[in-house]
């Protein structure tokens, strides 16, 4: 295996257009082990499209996409199901099944695969809901939850099967700063404690900078602590990717982004 | 040219969905729970409107036909006319149209809402094929429930026709039913319950197809729902014509 194929996710010259509009023009992107790429850009810049392509929900017009070294572009829908099992996806509004309770939502994948019996399923569901701090909501319907809670359930549901890759599609859009922070902490915990590789699509700057400057450590055996709250740290495992006009305009750390000389980025950060 | 290209594309997509939905019957996993739930929604849920539709259709048939039959001095044949029209045509078609309006729209709006809230994408992301989990159960449920509903509609129609014949036309009960029984022979019944299988299939598949191709938010859901009802109603009536033609050609 070559060094490049050890990347968890790799996009090679990927293009995608809808009808006549070219959304992505030659995107090259790599995400390594336990690394987070924060993809930023204006609305309609094709950020969510990248995630859908990685998950195989849509096919690129040209170019290739590798997941753990495997080219997924020629795979059929049936074969893609196997690849998708390695990936956890958090959708914009949570995308919970509104005919099922919170517990059933989280248990959905386990019941589909029917590897566990009912007792074991319940244990896993409670553990995952505990991780996102929503153990008490297990019997609630998604419509009874707030926006932030829905997304946390979405994270719990995506974590079934301990995926090594997580994709977040604007999980903090439209949330208040406190709730956004809770979600950022979950993402940081997964990155630093579980070694999950992830792509985090957002246009929320404060969330992005939180991800790039804080890290989680375990103190005294079980207590999780977040360090770097002053925002002065510059983490190497979290890099920013700026999409503009269907191309990658910038890729690097948050510090580099602040001093990058380009009209659009300056405007974006202002 | 663009329009023709799009139309061909849509037809192709529709047939692919049908092929997948049917192929799923023969492959695991199967969703018995979902099938039963859909049977309840389509079958039991439509019972009241089907009973009422059937009853009044039969009643009005007796009322109207008696007038024409009277000029030939053949009022006694009212039962036969009601039974024949109900079992061969009106029972299947009206049942299908009611189910299309009630469940075709329901299926399209439910699946459409799931598309716009990304629940379909989420299902695929979790490794479950939406065709298998959502489309096939609805197809099986509609294909089995519409024939049953048709039989119920036919029976209620005969009852409605009898009530009108007895109280309004002053026909004797035995005259009505013996005339009706003449129309209910093996061939007519066979025709009358072959059609609803096809109609049920059309309603479920058009509903699912329109729902799954929804785009453009809540407005799109409304559009899909309307399209589902319009397309499935038209297709039901068109299919009825062609099936009647084929059956007539086969028999005579």
């Amino acid at each position: 295996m070559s060094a490049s194929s050890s990347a968890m996710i790799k996009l090679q010259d990927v293009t995608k257009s809808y009808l006549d509009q070219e959304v992505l023009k030659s995107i090259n992107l790599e995400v390594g082990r336990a690394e987070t790429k924060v993809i930023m850009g204006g609305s309609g810049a094709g950020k969510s499209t990248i995630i859908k392509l990685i998950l195989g929900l849509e096919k690129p017009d040209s170019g290739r996409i590798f997941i753990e070294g495997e080219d997924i572009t020629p795979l059929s829908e049936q074969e893609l199901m196997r690849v998708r099992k390695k990936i956890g996806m958090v959708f914009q509004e949570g995308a919970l099944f509104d005919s099922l309770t919170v517990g059933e939502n989280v248990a959905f994948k386990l019941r589909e695969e029917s590897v566990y019996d009912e007792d074991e399923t319940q244990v896993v569901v409670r553990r995952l809901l505990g991780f996102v701090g929503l153990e008490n909501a297990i019997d609630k319907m998604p419509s009874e939850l707030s926006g932030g809670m829905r997304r946390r359930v979405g994270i719990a549901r995506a974590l079934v099967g301990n995926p090594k890759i997580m994709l977040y599609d604007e999980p903090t859009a439209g949330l208040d700063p406190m709730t956004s922070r809770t979600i950022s902490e979950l993402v940081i915990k997964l990155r630093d404690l579980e070694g999950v590789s992830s792509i985090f699509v957002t246009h929320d700057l404060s969330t992005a900078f939180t991800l790039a400057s804080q890290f989680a450590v375990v103190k005294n055996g079980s207590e999780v602590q977040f360090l770097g709250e002053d925002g002065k740290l510059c983490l190497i495992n979290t890099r920013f990717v700026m999409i503009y006009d269907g191309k990658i305009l910038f890729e690097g750390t948050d510090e580099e982004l602040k001093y990058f000389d380009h009209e659009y980025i300056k405007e974006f950060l202002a | 040219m663009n329009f023709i290209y799009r139309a061909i594309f849509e037809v192709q997509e529709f047939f692919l969905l049908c092929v997948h939905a049917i192929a799923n019957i023969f492959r695991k996993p199967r969703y018995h729970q979902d099938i039963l739930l859909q049977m309840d929604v389509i079958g039991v849920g439509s019972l009241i409107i089907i009973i009422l539709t059937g009853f009044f259709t039969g009643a009005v048939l007796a009322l109207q036909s008696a007038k024409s039959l009277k000029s030939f001095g053949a009022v006694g044949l009212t039962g036969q006319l009601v039974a024949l029209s109900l079992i061969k045509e009106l029972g299947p078609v009206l049942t299908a149209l009611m189910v299309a309006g009630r469940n075709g729209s329901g299926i399209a709006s439910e699946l459409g809402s799931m598309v716009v809230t990304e629940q379909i994408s989420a299902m695929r992301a979790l490794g479950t094929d939406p065709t298998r989990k959502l489309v096939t159960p609805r197809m099986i449920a509609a294909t089995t429930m519409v024939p049953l509903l048709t039989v119920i509609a036919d029976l209620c129609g005969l009852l409605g026709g009898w009530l009108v014949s007895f109280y309004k036309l002053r026909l004797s009960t035995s005259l009505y039913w013996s005339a009706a029984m003449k129309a209910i022979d093996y061939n007519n019944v066979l025709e009358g319950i072959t059609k609803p299988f096809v109609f049920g299939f059309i309603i479920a598949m058009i509903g699912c197809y329109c729902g799954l191709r929804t785009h453009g938010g809540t407005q799109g859901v409304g559009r899909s729902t309307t399209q589902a009802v319009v397309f499935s109603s038209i297709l039901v009536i068109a299919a009825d014509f062609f099936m009647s033609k084929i059956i007539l050609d086969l028999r005579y």
Side-chain angles (χ1 to χ4, degrees):
Chain A
M1 238 186 225
S2 65
S4 64
S5 68
S6 73
M8 298 296 276
I9 306 171
K10 188 178 171 196
L11 277 73
Q12 212 172 54
D13 294 323
V14 170
T15 62
K16 176 77 186 170
S17 51
Y18 293 106
L19 297 176
D20 305 326
Q21 202 192 351
E22 221 177 0
V23 183
L24 299 176
K25 305 170 190 164
S26 183
I27 296 282
N28 286 289
L29 188 68
E30 237 179 83
V31 183
R33 230 163 269 275
E35 188 185 25
T36 294
K37 283 265 153 78
V38 179
I39 300 186
M40 296 198 290
S43 297
K47 306 186 299 282
S48 303
T49 307
I50 293 182
I51 280 192
K52 287 186 177 135
L53 290 172
I54 292 170
L55 207 50
L57 295 178
E58 284 173 30
K59 293 257 176 207
D61 296 340
S62 67
R64 303 208 288 169
I65 298 166
F66 299 88
I67 304 293
E68 287 187 315
E70 184 188 3
D71 186 359
I72 66 157
T73 32
L75 299 185
S76 70
E77 178 77 14
Q78 219 61 40
E79 294 168 307
L80 278 169
M81 292 296 178
R82 175 176 51 79
V83 178
R84 286 182 192 142
K85 288 192 166 97
K86 299 188 218 170
I87 306 173
M89 164 92 195
V90 180
F91 287 86
Q92 239 169 60
E93 304 283 337
L96 303 180
F97 304 126
D98 44 23
S99 57
L100 304 177
T101 66
V102 166
E104 286 167 343
N105 262 287
V106 179
F108 185 85
K109 195 170 169 184
L110 293 172
R111 295 205 171 123
E112 286 295 300
E113 290 168 14
S114 54
V115 268
Y116 294 127
D117 63 27
E118 202 40 44
D119 290 341
E120 288 169 313
T121 304
Q122 283 301 322
V123 171
V124 175
V125 169
R126 283 188 187 281
R127 180 173 60 78
L128 289 173
L129 282 175
F131 180 76
V132 297
L134 284 174
E135 248 173 336
N136 298 328
I138 189 161
D139 290 320
K140 287 205 170 126
M141 296 305 283
S143 54
E144 298 172 65
L145 303 180
S146 68
M149 285 158 97
R150 271 206 285 277
R151 286 170 222 203
R152 272 146 74 195
V153 175
I155 293 177
R157 185 177 68 179
L159 286 175
V160 170
N162 301 319
K164 287 282 132 206
I165 299 171
M166 285 288 279
L167 307 173
Y168 306 92
D169 189 3
E170 306 203 25
T172 59
L175 296 180
D176 62 273
M178 287 297 292
T179 319
S180 297
R181 187 170 164 79
T182 319
I183 290 182
S184 318
E185 283 177 357
L186 288 174
V187 177
I188 293 170
K189 257 160 60 178
L190 285 170
R191 178 193 64 196
D192 297 341
L193 307 180
E194 313 279 337
V196 171
S197 310
S198 56
I199 289 186
F200 193 97
V201 165
T202 187
H203 53 230
D204 176 6
L205 283 174
S206 72
T207 306
F209 284 114
T210 307
L211 288 180
S213 58
Q214 294 189 22
F215 64 99
V217 286
V218 178
K219 281 269 167 75
N220 311 326
S222 63
E223 195 186 331
V224 180
Q225 212 171 25
F226 293 92
L227 299 173
E229 286 199 34
D230 50 9
K232 281 181 187 152
L233 281 170
C234 174
L235 296 179
I236 200 79
N237 64 359
T238 299
R239 293 165 77 83
F240 286 8
V241 176
M242 195 68 150
I243 306 248
Y244 177 64
D245 194 24
K247 288 188 208 117
I248 291 180
L249 180 62
F250 165 87
E251 184 175 348
T253 61
D254 54 342
E255 285 302 307
E256 286 164 359
L257 181 71
K258 280 176 197 161
Y259 299 111
F260 192 75
D261 191 28
H262 189 282
E263 199 106 332
Y264 180 72
I265 289 183
K266 288 205 165 121
E267 212 173 296
F268 198 91
L269 295 180
Chain B
M1 194 58 209
N2 204 7
F3 173 77
I4 298 169
Y5 174 80
R6 273 195 63 83
I8 293 172
F9 178 75
E10 297 268 354
V11 170
Q12 173 195 308
E13 291 289 295
F14 177 71
F15 275 105
L16 278 177
L17 183 70
C18 292
V19 169
H20 281 150
I22 294 170
N24 286 338
I25 300 175
F26 307 104
R27 282 199 305 247
K28 281 186 175 180
R30 298 188 186 89
Y31 295 97
H32 302 290
Q33 203 86 37
D34 294 275
I35 296 174
L36 284 177
L37 185 76
Q38 289 305 320
M39 283 180 164
D40 183 53
V41 170
I42 297 171
V44 182
S46 308
L47 210 51
I48 301 287
I49 61 164
I50 289 305
I51 288 173
L52 290 174
T53 313
F55 180 82
F56 284 111
T57 308
V60 82
L61 265 177
L63 209 59
Q64 295 282 21
S65 57
K67 195 148 189 150
S68 317
L69 289 170
K70 204 173 183 180
S71 50
F72 301 106
V75 187
L77 293 179
T78 306
Q80 191 174 352
L81 201 141
V82 170
L84 200 67
S85 349
L86 265 180
I87 286 164
K88 283 181 77 167
E89 287 299 330
L90 289 175
V93 171
L94 286 178
T95 305
L97 289 181
M98 296 312 272
V99 174
R102 192 181 170 277
N103 298 103
S105 59
I107 291 171
S109 62
E110 188 184 355
L111 297 197
S113 309
M114 288 183 79
V115 170
V116 299
T117 55
E118 291 189 301
Q119 289 178 54
I120 300 284
S121 298
M123 193 175 275
R124 289 169 68 197
L126 289 167
T128 296
D129 179 3
T131 316
R132 193 181 289 273
K133 171 97 179 156
L134 301 170
V135 179
T136 303
R138 281 165 176 76
M139 181 194 74
I140 294 173
T143 317
T144 49
M145 285 300 113
V146 175
L148 289 177
L149 289 170
T150 302
V151 172
I152 293 169
D154 290 347
L155 292 175
C156 292
L158 285 173
L159 201 68
W162 169 73
L163 276 176
V164 169
S165 304
F166 188 71
Y167 288 105
K168 179 78 180 34
L169 308 174
R170 300 289 169 198
L171 290 178
S172 78
T173 304
S174 62
L175 182 62
Y176 176 83
W177 286 112
S178 67
M181 288 313 282
K182 251 183 236 162
I184 311 177
D185 64 6
Y186 177 75
N187 281 327
N188 290 343
V189 172
L190 190 67
E191 179 178 348
I193 57 172
T194 313
K195 285 176 178 177
F197 279 103
V198 179
F199 296 162
F201 180 80
I202 290 173
I203 294 165
M205 292 314 298
I206 293 283
C208 289
Y209 179 72
C210 288
L212 288 177
R213 64 191 272 282
T214 302
H215 51 88
T218 37
Q219 209 183 6
V221 177
R223 203 164 41 225
S224 300
T225 310
T226 314
Q227 281 173 351
V229 177
V230 171
F231 286 145
S232 51
S233 304
I234 292 173
L235 269 179
V236 160
I237 292 171
D240 180 55
F241 169 77
F242 288 110
M243 283 168 71
S244 301
K245 178 85 180 79
I246 291 168
I247 291 170
L248 283 174
D249 286 350
L250 282 179
R251 210 188 291 168
Y252 303 108

